[in-house]
Amino acid sequence: MTRPVIALPHAVGVVIETLERAGHTAWVVGGCVRDSLCGVTPHDWDLTTSARPDAMQKLFPKVRLTGVQHGTVTVIQDDMALEVTTYRGEGAYTDGRRPDTVCFLSRVEEDLARRDFTINAMAYHPMRGLCDPFGGREDLQAGLLRAVGDPDQRFTEDALRILRGVRFVAKTGFTIEPHTVYAMYRQMQRLVHIASERVFAELCTILTSRYTGRALRQYRAVLAVVLPELAPMFGLCQHNPHHCYDVWEHTVRTVEAIPAQPVLRWAMLLHDSGKPHTYTIDEAGVGHFYGHPKVSAELAHQILMRLHAPNALRTQVETLVEFHDHGIGQEERQVRRALAKHGEAVVRQLLAVKKADYTGQNTFPVHLQELQHTERLVNGICAQAPCLTLQTLAVDGYTMQELGLSGVSIGEGLRWLLTQVVEGQVPNEPEALRACASEWKESRDEG
Ligand code: ATP
Ligand code: MG
């Protein structure tokens, strides 16, 4: 193989030179080397060095002490934040999460040995070239993900590496080398001990990558360790003319069909999770899943709470899952109602969810045409800046007081007026609304 040349940003070169002039050695390492070798622009540059954190603090004027006990400082050079970590090895892992101790080492090869996969265990130096003791470059060219050293031991030390493996499959479409795969399966139960925030972060990347579908299909058993609610969907035949795939294959297709945003991807992953719990079969042999969206939304709530997902993401996913099966409607009045209930942003997300759902069913293209019609209605209504909320109603609580209403009936009256406006029964104009409110008050007083 030819000697690779990686173009380093100026700031990175300066940091390496500064460290080496002071008698240390330094390299770029990990993800940035991997990405550069396959023509991808790295999103950050990490360095590894024989210098200890105290020496680095003396050498660089701007340093942030990000993880000194693990040997990491962040050097600010030409407005770039560069993580520089002392060559280190890791002591025993008693909890399967983090090493009990780290020890500083003097050779880069020893540092590379603690890294997870061979493609991530390469270092590069502008003069000395590539340091690749585990054959990472060859694996990169072959599209192989291989654990550094004994895979069982590596996954026992830190089970998160198993999920990182699935993440790299989702990002690169690589194949996991057989010994590494078997060890993943042998050790995957250890994932239950990993901090939920770290699991959630990996799952978000797995769900929003280029080869997400491949990762979900091939490594569903690994994912089911952290998301056991998925397992009952695997292979569940739907016995329904609307579905030609089992619930899991349908789910994966819907995930692939929707834009790669975390909220939308999570919504598709979980939208049918309630199906196994609501499955019935009628006399004609047709399968039904009555009430499954509600059950799916409850499962989404439990799962995302357990994973400590941000509240905003969780509540959005719950709404999309709960309403994924509700029609938005083919008539202007129905669409206005949906817009008043959910707001424009959610209605647009629901349109995307429904489009993905129909695409993943792959049975009745007419539904997709209906959705296009609904979308045109949404566009038309939203372009007119319609009144769909109490804030934009042309009368307020004071008007209701002037009409002789008080207490809770003010709110009741306003909400009734809003319904009339949304339904197109009355224009959103003060005089018309006053007249309408008076009628409502009279009929209420009589009742
Ligand atoms: P990304 O492009 O997503 O940042 P990355 O490989 O750079 O991918 P990081 O989490 O930034 O991933 O980690 C940087 C490097 O640290 C990795 O390339 C790998 O060498 C090493 N590393 C990270 N996490 C682990 C781990 N759990 N076990 C062993 N090595 C790890
Ligand atoms: Mg990185």
Side-chain angles (χ1 to χ4, degrees), residues 150-152 162 179 181-190:
D150 174 37
D152 281 289
I162 298 171
H179 290 99
V181 176
Y182 294 138
M184 277 172 67
Y185 284 123
R186 279 193 294 268
Q187 308 301 340
M188 67 188 183
Q189 290 306 327
R190 296 176 188 273

Side-chain angles (χ1 to χ4, degrees), residues 12 14 42 138 165 179 189 311 322 337 364 416:
V12 173
V14 171
E138 212 173 298
H179 290 99
Q189 290 306 327
N311 282 342
E322 180 172 349
R337 231 180 263 159
F364 291 102
W416 188 78

Side-chain angles (χ1 to χ4, degrees), residues 138-271:
E138 212 173 298
D139 284 342
L140 196 60
Q141 284 185 346
L144 275 182
L145 204 60
R146 184 194 309 271
V148 171
D150 174 37
D152 281 289
Q153 191 192 330
R154 306 318 308 285
F155 296 147
T156 310
E157 287 166 357
D158 179 6
L160 187 71
R161 291 169 186 159
I162 298 171
L163 214 47
R164 281 175 58 86
V166 179
R167 184 241 280 198
F168 286 116
V169 170
K171 281 200 104 161
T172 61
F174 279 18
T175 304
I176 307 183
E177 169 278 327
H179 290 99
T180 305
V181 176
Y182 294 138
M184 277 172 67
Y185 284 123
R186 279 193 294 268
Q187 308 301 340
M188 67 188 183
Q189 290 306 327
R190 296 176 188 273
L191 276 169
V192 298
H193 302 299
I194 299 294
S196 43
E197 288 81 358
R198 299 175 80 192
V199 169
F200 177 73
E202 292 298 334
L203 290 174
C204 285
T205 311
I206 291 170
L207 282 173
T208 53
S209 293
R210 178 154 175 212
Y211 299 95
T212 291
R214 184 179 298 191
L216 294 183
R217 286 188 182 90
Q218 288 186 346
Y219 296 105
R220 63 186 201 179
V222 175
L223 298 173
V225 175
V226 285
L227 297 170
E229 295 84 353
L230 301 182
M233 290 194 267
F234 302 162
L236 182 68
C237 178
Q238 314 208 45
H239 297 291
N240 187 297
H242 289 274
H243 286 277
C244 60
Y245 305 115
D246 72 58
V247 178
W248 181 243
E249 178 58 25
H250 163 69
T251 296
V252 176
R253 283 172 180 260
T254 64
V255 171
E256 288 175 306
I258 207 157
Q261 298 161 16
V263 166
L264 298 177
R265 291 280 167 106
W266 274 103
M268 293 334 290
L269 182 76
L270 302 177
H271 80 287

